Amino acid sequence: MRTDRNIPFRSSGAFPGSIANYGQYRWSGLLVGTVLGMSALLLSGCSDDDDDNETPPAVDETPPPVSTLDCNADSLQMVVSDATIDSATLKNTEQGQSYCRVDGHIITEGVTLEGEGRDGEPNQVNFMLSLPTDFSNRYYFVGLGGSAGYVPEPPEGLLAQGYAIAGTDAGSPTPGIDWTFAWDRTKALDYANRGVHLTTLVTQDLTAAFYGNADENERIYNYLQGCSGGGRMGQVETMLYPNDYDGIVAGAPGLDTNNQLFFGKVVKRIIDNPDAWVSPQELQTVEDMVVTQYDAADGVEDGLIWDHTRVETDLDTLGIFTPAQLETLRLIIEGMDDFGQSYPGFSVANPIGWSAFLLGATPPPWSLDPADENLPPAAYYIFDSQTRALFGPDYDFTESFDFGSSEDVNAWHNTFEEVYPGSGTAHPEDMQDFKAAGGKILYWHGEADNGISINGMTRFYDELAGQNGGHEGTRDFARLFLAPGVQHCGGGIGPQDVPDQALSALVQWVEEEQPPRQLVTHSAPSAMPERSFLLCPYPQTAVFNEEGDLNDAANWSCELKPLP
């Protein structure tokens, strides 16, 4: 899809994609010192009016491209003037696949957020590119979750399939879930969108030159895949840089600034009211009740809630929760709507996962010392580090932030949007250029996601459908698949290979114009019994055919669920 190859960075401050136009940033220039440096199984059991072409893809007999440049830094440095190539080394995977591993970096211009009075310093964005000996004319960018902060290793399975693979630390120095670096607004901008975009341009140009595909007649298909923060990277690309990628897999993407604000509201409530904490054992009781009542709603009792919207739970009937605990649970389920800032609640399909992300395995007061064995939940770390990034390293939300204050709540939301331009709340109307460019995006989300609400994902997709003439029109370029029993980006009792199957389906969609009617995914290898799962394009849902082995996806079908 790239139509802007070898566009130089403009000294006027306008990056490709016009990021210089974003909000409150004052630019003093652009670059300070950049130097010449899983098979998808697609069944045919679901009706889909726009998907009539079932002709199998033709086998390409063309020999794979081979490199035309040497694998050394000096040779590759001649290709790019916008980055420094630090090293280039021939390597082999454990399976014997040879590839050229390239490491490099880009120096980005410092930025200043107006009103803060702090001059921004330049930042270094590191990247890697792995170029296999046998190239399949496919380029793949590794989207990183959390706070990024490291250069990823190339997935060896994709190298074996001939993918050129790129990735970046996004200009972040801290891996995991630590965003305190974003008090440096240059690093914040690089993490928000600039780091991925600039390293995409450089590594795609290196790939084309390495294999002699700089001529636009030689097509290279460009893909990006990630989950959570990695899904966010893909979503941002669709909105700000719609020509960078042909296809994107975005798993449980971060779409809403208020997701993290909601984290803060939950943990602050528990810190201020320790008696409102709910234990993992009590959550297991809730889960057992939900499964008992709603497991058969999809036509079979298999221990899974396939459609979380069918669940209506009256927690009072359990008789085990105090009023303070009930208020905590209702907050998680119903979400927040405070002073104009809202976030939908979480699915109660598999609430046992809330301990790790929202409530903690042990009651407060929590300790940040691992030796104390009383660590807070992930939501605490995320909100704490983001709040320090927004308001300063010494800001302590447990003492200073008031969720009953309109000023505090709106300041948090608005400052986040300014500090991370283009990477806060996603707006469906901003994807129209990606659609017009022929881009395809495959979303997936776990029904039991305990970190990013599935209700937020479906709300966004419904809004996207409203922009594109309904779900039928939207499926031309964007499809959403929901995975039962899957927590945030993986784990849980549902399928564990959704990313692999989603990528394979996306490739067929982009290269063969065969949209994914369904995905067949699989349990973890250690699961007993082994099982395959049918995932359907939302708003369809999987229903058991009432005969055959329920552990075989072939015995399930995709149907539109009835209107309420």
Side-chain angles (χ1 to χ4, degrees), residues 254-289:
L255 300 171
D256 193 335
T257 293
N258 290 342
N259 187 173
Q260 298 183 43
L261 183 61
F262 183 61
F263 284 166
K265 183 170 184 177
V266 173
V267 297
K268 186 70 159 59
R269 167 172 171 72
I270 298 169
I271 291 170
D272 293 345
N273 305 277
D275 60 336
W277 178 74
V278 181
S279 72
Q281 294 76 20
E282 290 166 320
L283 289 176
Q284 185 65 60
T285 300
V286 177
E287 181 157 326
D288 292 343
M289 179 193 72

Side-chain angles (χ1 to χ4, degrees), residues 83 85 102-106 125-128 151 167-168 199 202-203 206:
I85 305 301
V102 183
D103 288 278
H105 68 271
I106 299 170
V125 178
N126 300 299
F127 65 85
M128 75 85 189
V151 176
T168 180
T199 54
V202 167
T203 54
L206 284 168

Side-chain angles (χ1 to χ4, degrees), residues 13 101 126 140 244 253 261 333-334 380 442 496 563:
R101 166 66 182 248
N126 300 299
Y140 176 95
D244 279 2
L261 183 61
I333 295 168
E334 296 172 7
Y380 178 101
L442 193 158
Q496 299 301 309
L563 295 174

Side-chain angles (χ1 to χ4, degrees), residues 76-89:
L76 294 167
Q77 186 67 81
M78 296 174 63
V79 176
V80 290
S81 60
D82 310 311
T84 298
I85 305 301
D86 297 313
S87 64
T89 309

Side-chain angles (χ1 to χ4, degrees), residues 386-429:
Q386 287 285 23
T387 303
R388 293 176 190 272
L390 302 184
F391 302 134
D394 297 326
Y395 190 99
D396 183 351
F397 85 92
T398 66
E399 300 290 337
S400 302
F401 197 90
D402 181 5
F403 277 92
S405 164
S406 172
E407 182 178 357
D408 281 6
V409 169
N410 283 290
W412 199 98
H413 173 93
N414 295 335
T415 305
F416 190 103
E417 296 281 345
E418 293 176 357
V419 167
Y420 300 106
S423 191
T425 300
H427 301 286
E429 60 269 24

Side-chain angles (χ1 to χ4, degrees), residues 444-469:
W444 72 270
H445 208 113
E447 285 273 359
D449 196 309
N450 53 339
I452 296 178
S453 171
I454 189 174
N455 295 312
M457 180 72 255
T458 55
R459 180 179 68 179
F460 176 84
Y461 191 81
D462 288 340
E463 292 173 354
L464 183 63
Q467 296 280 333
N468 293 278

Side-chain angles (χ1 to χ4, degrees), residues 305-482:
I305 304 297
W306 284 76
D307 180 4
H308 70 283
T309 64
R310 299 176 184 267
V311 178
E312 297 179 3
T313 303
D314 183 0
L315 299 175
D316 287 318
T317 61
L318 287 174
I320 64 171
F321 296 115
T322 67
Q325 289 178 309
L326 285 172
E327 188 174 342
T328 297
L329 293 171
R330 290 189 184 111
L331 171 62
I332 294 172
I333 295 168
E334 296 172 7
M336 67 177 287
D337 189 2
D338 301 334
F339 313 111
Q341 303 305 331
S342 64
Y343 188 71
F346 281 76
S347 161
V348 73
N350 297 99
I352 189 62
W354 296 350
S355 291
F357 235 103
L358 298 172
L359 296 172
T362 55
W366 293 309
S367 169
L368 299 181
D369 184 354
D372 293 338
E373 298 184 351
N374 191 31
L375 295 173
Y380 178 101
Y381 291 102
I382 292 170
F383 187 72
D384 180 55
S385 72
Q386 287 285 23
T387 303
R388 293 176 190 272
L390 302 184
F391 302 134
D394 297 326
Y395 190 99
D396 183 351
F397 85 92
T398 66
E399 300 290 337
S400 302
F401 197 90
D402 181 5
F403 277 92
S405 164
S406 172
E407 182 178 357
D408 281 6
V409 169
N410 283 290
W412 199 98
H413 173 93
N414 295 335
T415 305
F416 190 103
E417 296 281 345
E418 293 176 357
V419 167
Y420 300 106
S423 191
T425 300
H427 301 286
E429 60 269 24
D430 293 336
M431 297 179 66
Q432 292 307 306
D433 287 346
F434 180 74
K435 176 183 178 182
K440 312 295 183 189
I441 184 165
L442 193 158
Y443 296 106
W444 72 270
H445 208 113
E447 285 273 359
D449 196 309
N450 53 339
I452 296 178
S453 171
I454 189 174
N455 295 312
M457 180 72 255
T458 55
R459 180 179 68 179
F460 176 84
Y461 191 81
D462 288 340
E463 292 173 354
L464 183 63
Q467 296 280 333
N468 293 278
H471 291 105
E472 288 293 329
T474 305
R475 289 206 300 267
D476 289 342
F477 81 104
R479 298 196 176 204
L480 167 62
F481 293 83
L482 306 181

